[in-house]
Amino acid sequence: MKFTYFVLVLSLWSGWAQAAGPNKVATTDRDLWPEAIHSQAAFDRASAAEILQFAHVMAKVPLASAEDISRFTGVKQVSVDSVVTWRSKTQQRMLEGYRFASRNQSVKHWDDLVRIARERLPAFDSKWRDSSEQFYRYYLFEQVRLAALFPRISSEILTFNDTEVTGERFEDGEFLLTYDDGPHPTRTQTLINQLNYRGIQAYFFVLGSKLVPAEHKHWYQSQCLGSHGWRHHAHKALDKSKGSITSTEQAMAQFSSLPSDTAFRPPYGMRSLALSQWLQRQGKPVYLWTIDSQDWNARLSSRQVADRVMTLMLLWRKGIVLFHDIHPHATVVLNDLDDMVHQAGLKWRSCS
């Protein structure tokens, strides 16, 4: 009954455009997990629990029909095929992740994972369990809503072709840090100083209109540059998008001594099939992401951003993390994330 009420509340939410983010964002308190993640074994135990909790929540929500999806997300015009594709891919990713986390290669079917969740979750601390279940209710809503809108409104939720990079094909325990929307007059250099000090190489997807080569060229040494387009807008019309990408690459050409390529990240993840196909023909990979930090969200504290990212790293066990170097949270949370990566035996992926 409690979960049914939650779904009803979500379906009645109003006040946002369909292309904008939802009013409620998944956050949790990592301090409720009873064990510090100071080793690979501790990471795996926490990861297995997060996977089981998300499986438990997913199993409760009917998503078989357009009516089910619309009721859950509030989206009126839904793509059932996209939700089915997302759900199937997500279940396979979670099964793979659970096999790594539990060292149990015999768990091969979704129903087995749901059964294990039902059997084992009651033994976990009740405060963590309640907080985690709420987190995944909202996270499921975020994900299904994006899938319901795809491809009418595209995002990171699904790809148009195999050359679009999401991080799902990385090795277990491997993450890539990425930062959008810069350069910022002060925050970008502060962040890069932190990354360099910690020996981390990240991808910066820059806006061409903000680049001043004489001022910014020395900032990005040891980091990687990609294009975010000339200005921060959805790249859907092919002709306009070509101009935006070409102009940005011309500005980036003066940074040719840096490790960079012609990678493009569309703002909001929004692009058209035609643009994706054109980029594929040009040999320009599209970089999406697996973990959305929500660091731009003024309603979240830096602690909430860090806890969200850590939780999703535990859930997915690999992938691309989206931050924005124009917002302060990205700089504040870096040390905590890097500490967890080192202590848990994980790896930051090199961008070059």
Side-chain angles (χ1 to χ4, degrees):
M1 182 68 184
K2 183 178 179 182
F3 192 75
T4 302
Y5 174 75
F6 166 84
V7 173
L8 178 62
V9 170
L10 284 179
S11 70
L12 295 175
W13 272 351
S14 60
W16 73 78
Q18 285 192 338
N23 286 342
K24 191 68 176 180
V25 177
T27 60
T28 190
D29 182 355
R30 290 288 340 147
D31 288 340
L32 294 175
W33 179 249
E35 180 183 15
I37 302 175
H38 289 162
S39 68
Q40 184 174 350
F43 179 87
D44 286 341
R45 285 191 289 271
S47 175
E50 298 295 339
I51 294 168
L52 291 177
Q53 187 67 277
F54 194 29
H56 173 69
V57 170
M58 284 183 65
K60 289 185 176 183
V61 180
L63 296 173
S65 68
E67 291 76 15
D68 290 337
I69 298 165
S70 183
R71 187 179 304 114
F72 180 59
T73 63
V75 176
K76 294 181 180 179
Q77 183 181 343
V78 304
S79 171
V80 177
D81 288 345
S82 294
V83 174
V84 169
T85 299
W86 169 83
R87 189 178 185 184
S88 176
K89 287 182 62 177
T90 298
Q91 289 175 351
Q92 291 305 310
R93 288 169 63 195
M94 292 169 66
L95 282 165
E96 178 188 19
Y98 188 76
R99 288 193 291 268
F100 274 109
S102 65
R103 303 295 190 265
N104 183 353
Q105 298 301 311
S106 66
V107 184
K108 298 184 182 299
H109 302 288
W110 177 250
D111 289 344
D112 293 334
L113 191 63
V114 173
R115 174 183 53 78
I116 294 169
R118 185 170 58 249
E119 292 172 353
R120 297 187 181 178
L121 284 173
F124 288 99
D125 178 83
S126 61
K127 291 183 179 179
W128 171 82
R129 197 172 61 239
D130 291 345
S131 175
S132 178
E133 182 164 354
Q134 177 176 292
F135 175 88
Y136 285 114
R137 287 172 179 174
Y138 286 119
Y139 185 62
L140 181 64
F141 171 73
E142 291 177 29
Q143 298 291 286
V144 176
R145 179 179 169 276
L146 290 175
L149 293 168
F150 190 92
R152 180 167 55 91
I153 301 175
S154 55
S155 66
E156 78 280 8
I157 199 70
L158 292 170
T159 58
F160 283 120
N161 59 64
D162 289 341
T163 64
E164 294 188 334
V165 183
T166 63
E168 293 176 19
R169 296 183 180 180
F170 292 177
E171 296 295 324
D172 183 66
E174 192 174 50
F175 296 91
L176 174 66
L177 282 173
T178 65
Y179 299 92
D180 287 5
D181 297 358
H184 184 273
T186 58
R187 289 173 182 154
T188 299
Q189 191 167 26
T190 300
L191 175 61
I192 289 175
N193 288 342
Q194 278 187 282
L195 290 167
N196 289 341
Y197 177 77
R198 287 185 166 260
I200 304 170
Q201 196 178 51
Y203 232 128
F204 286 81
F205 291 95
V206 296
L207 293 171
S209 60
K210 290 185 176 182
L211 281 180
V212 181
E215 179 180 347
H216 299 137
K217 187 172 183 178
H218 69 282
W219 286 11
Y220 295 101
Q221 298 297 330
S222 301
Q223 304 299 318
C224 291
L225 284 182
S227 169
H228 205 38
W230 190 252
R231 289 189 174 84
H232 199 278
H233 58 74
H235 284 60
K236 299 200 72 174
L238 182 57
D239 289 341
K240 291 182 179 179
S241 297
K242 286 181 181 179
S244 171
I245 294 167
T246 300
S247 297
T248 303
E249 288 180 354
Q250 289 172 350
M252 290 170 55
Q254 298 181 64
F255 294 72
S256 58
S257 64
L258 301 179
S260 62
D261 58 24
T262 55
F264 173 66
R265 169 171 282 168
Y268 317 108
M270 292 180 65
R271 72 275 183 213
S272 64
L273 174 60
L275 175 61
S276 181
Q277 291 173 335
W278 177 78
L279 289 164
Q280 184 180 25
R281 291 193 298 270
Q282 300 298 312
K284 304 176 191 295
V286 172
Y287 269 67
L288 301 172
W289 56 91
T290 318
I291 296 171
D292 182 354
S293 69
Q294 290 279 321
D295 63 332
W296 55 269
N297 196 321
R299 291 172 294 184
L300 302 188
S301 67
S302 293
R303 184 68 262 163
Q304 288 175 310
V305 169
D307 285 352
R308 174 185 167 95
V309 172
M310 288 179 183
T311 300
L312 294 178
M313 290 173 74
L314 288 161
L315 173 68
W316 297 125
R317 298 185 61 87
K318 59 183 175 181
I320 298 175
V321 187
L322 169 66
F323 283 106
H324 301 80
D325 49 313
I326 64 170
H327 297 297
H329 292 322
T331 304
V332 175
V333 305
L334 178 60
N335 290 345
D336 285 346
L337 295 182
D338 189 42
D339 287 346
M340 185 184 79
V341 165
H342 281 287
Q343 292 166 1
L346 309 175
K347 177 183 177 183
W348 293 123
R349 184 181 175 95
S350 171
C351 58
S352 59

